[in-house]
Amino acid sequence: MVTHSVWRVSTPHRIGVLVNNGTIRRAVCQISDVMTTKLCGAHICPPSAVMPSQSMGASHACQQHIRRHAASQHRHVFRRQLSRPYVHRLSWCERSQRRVSSKQVRSKATQNSVFARTPSERHVPEGSVSVVLLAGGSGKRMKASMPKQYLNLVGQPIAMHSLRTFGSMPEVGQIVVVCDPSYRDLFQQYLDQLPSRIQHSFAIPGVERQDSVYSGLQAIRSEAALVAIHDSARPLIDPTDAANCMADAQQVGAAVLGVPVKPTIKEVNSDGMVVKTLIRANLWEVQTPQVIQPDMLREGFELVRQKKLEVTDDVSIIEALGRPVKVTQGSYTNIKVTTPDDMLVAEGFLMSKGVEDTLEAKQSDLSEASVV
């Protein structure tokens, strides 16, 4: 249990809170006799003139610690007025120890993380990514009169949500839409609204997903450093997640968004009997975009044709080459809309996001008005 000790300076206008034998969690200035709050760690040594208040149950060890340092460190006490909290500056030795400790913590926390890399390694040049937007599916499970990616979702077709998201990202310089020619006019209306720096083109879908991806790959720019393949039926892609995935692909060669699975997964045989329970900690549900270096993807397609492989996602082609693939943690909201129930869920997420964006915009307006 943490014991609080309140110390008062010569006037009731300045007080501070000591926790754990003199380690400050928060320093405040307040016109009152007693106040306790918290702030992250600093160390102070009050002067002998400052007397501890026993009302907060200060530990005996804490009081001895304070008295021991009082005479030599008395100048390092709260000297600020009402609205300016003051925390004692650490000595050179204390700062060095704290820097070493924080570096060790950061090293352990990020040694397996993509964010352990330097900023230059994480930076994806502007306009260096070509997006292949797959919109050629039939959407049979939706049981609708048109392919699911063209159904209305909160005011616009499902496919246009992700189109506009990628169009707003500075990393993206080209969008290739793989769709049936009869829907090109629909896409063109939204493509014309994108920034002029973004080039766009169309490709014909194939019989299977891998055929559509290959068709889109042929339409990307020769100078593209990365190709990001995305299902247009995933309207809730977060641009930050997509940017992280692009950065990982730039570093590793291939990356895919994914999330750890939540339910328990069991392997079952043809008779419906459980074979074994898979280790959930090792299982990830992959999403899109799947970002790959173009030359590597072309090499993978050569292998697919030679061995007549059938793959259900794009990074499986890279796995067939024996190359590494990085899984970038994404968001559970990045769902694929395949059934009417998914439509309801996606609509709820989008409406919730719209409300949050509106509140943030209002808060920003209020902040600007207060500054003016």
Side-chain angles (χ1 to χ4, degrees):
M1 179 177 178
V2 176
T3 302
H4 292 69
S5 176
V6 177
W7 295 76
R8 278 178 260 165
V9 193
S10 56
T11 71
H13 297 274
R14 309 183 186 96
I15 67 168
V17 178
L18 310 181
V19 182
N20 294 341
N21 295 340
T23 300
I24 276 195
R25 295 301 182 209
R26 182 172 241 163
V28 297
C29 295
Q30 181 71 26
I31 303 179
S32 62
D33 291 332
V34 173
M35 169 176 271
T36 60
T37 53
K38 292 183 178 180
L39 183 85
C40 58
H43 188 77
I44 70 164
C45 300
S48 56
V50 179
M51 298 303 295
S53 169
Q54 302 296 333
S55 61
M56 297 301 294
S59 67
H60 180 68
C62 178
Q63 297 174 40
Q64 287 184 332
H65 175 79
I66 298 301
R67 292 192 184 99
R68 185 164 57 249
H69 292 274
S72 60
Q73 303 289 336
H74 67 276
R75 64 185 180 280
H76 300 303
V77 73
F78 299 118
R79 299 292 188 189
R80 301 301 175 94
Q81 297 300 320
L82 178 61
S83 61
R84 299 182 63 187
Y86 174 79
V87 178
H88 162 62
R89 294 184 62 184
L90 301 175
S91 67
W92 178 88
C93 182
E94 290 171 320
R95 289 198 302 272
S96 299
Q97 292 175 350
R98 181 160 295 186
R99 280 196 296 269
V100 172
S101 176
S102 63
K103 286 180 180 178
Q104 292 172 346
V105 171
R106 287 197 301 270
S107 176
K108 291 180 180 179
T110 61
Q111 59 185 353
N112 295 322
S113 169
V114 296
F115 297 104
R117 307 187 191 111
T118 62
S120 61
E121 292 174 324
R122 297 287 305 167
H123 176 68
V124 177
E126 291 187 7
S128 64
V129 180
S130 291
V131 174
V132 174
L133 188 65
L134 301 178
S138 59
K140 295 178 181 179
R141 283 177 287 181
M142 185 64 72
K143 299 179 180 179
S145 59
M146 64 177 67
K148 60 180 180 294
Q149 58 270 28
Y150 303 115
L151 295 176
N152 184 69
L153 178 64
V154 192
Q156 61 185 357
I158 291 176
M160 307 310 160
H161 288 277
S162 55
L163 177 72
R164 297 179 70 174
T165 297
F166 286 113
S168 67
M169 296 180 61
E171 296 88 349
V172 176
Q174 180 192 23
I175 297 178
V176 177
V177 179
V178 183
C179 69
D180 187 277
S182 61
Y183 290 100
R184 289 186 179 182
D185 289 342
L186 177 62
F187 275 103
Q188 192 64 53
Q189 298 175 20
Y190 290 87
L191 289 169
D192 291 340
Q193 299 174 19
L194 298 181
S196 58
R197 62 178 176 79
I198 295 182
Q199 302 176 20
H200 59 267
S201 58
F202 293 94
I204 302 295
V207 177
E208 302 293 339
R209 176 195 170 89
Q210 65 192 59
D211 300 322
S212 296
V213 173
Y214 183 77
S215 177
L217 180 63
Q218 306 312 305
I220 69 170
R221 299 177 302 168
S222 59
E223 62 269 25
L226 297 169
V227 54
I229 302 139
H230 185 69
D231 292 326
S232 62
R234 292 186 184 270
L236 300 168
I237 175 62
D238 182 81
T240 301
D241 292 340
N244 288 336
C245 190
M246 293 170 185
D248 282 339
Q250 178 178 253
Q251 179 71 17
V252 179
V256 55
L257 276 186
V259 290
V261 299
K262 293 181 178 180
T264 298
I265 307 295
K266 295 183 181 293
E267 183 180 339
V268 180
N269 62 21
S270 58
D271 297 325
M273 304 300 291
V274 173
V275 176
K276 63 180 178 180
T277 300
L278 302 180
I279 301 175
R280 183 169 55 186
N282 297 335
L283 301 177
W284 286 65
E285 176 188 349
V286 296
Q287 305 171 341
T288 64
Q290 303 192 12
V291 189
I292 306 168
Q293 294 176 0
D295 290 341
M296 188 182 298
L297 186 56
R298 293 187 183 98
E299 182 183 351
F301 270 116
E302 288 295 330
L303 181 66
V304 167
R305 282 198 296 270
Q306 291 174 8
K307 295 188 175 182
K308 298 181 179 180
L309 302 176
E310 292 186 5
V311 293
T312 57
D313 73 332
D314 314 302
V315 293
S316 295
I317 300 174
I318 309 305
E319 295 170 36
L321 289 172
R323 306 286 181 81
V325 176
K326 173 72 177 182
V327 177
T328 306
Q329 182 156 355
S331 305
Y332 287 99
T333 56
N334 186 23
I335 64 172
K336 186 175 183 179
V337 178
T338 56
T339 66
D341 290 340
D342 295 333
M343 285 284 289
L344 296 175
V345 174
E347 182 177 354
F349 281 139
L350 284 171
M351 293 182 69
S352 175
K353 185 178 184 299
V355 170
E356 291 178 357
D357 292 344
T358 301
L359 291 176
E360 290 179 0
K362 289 183 178 180
Q363 183 64 35
S364 177
D365 292 341
L366 289 174
S367 299
E368 292 177 359
S370 63
V371 171
V372 175

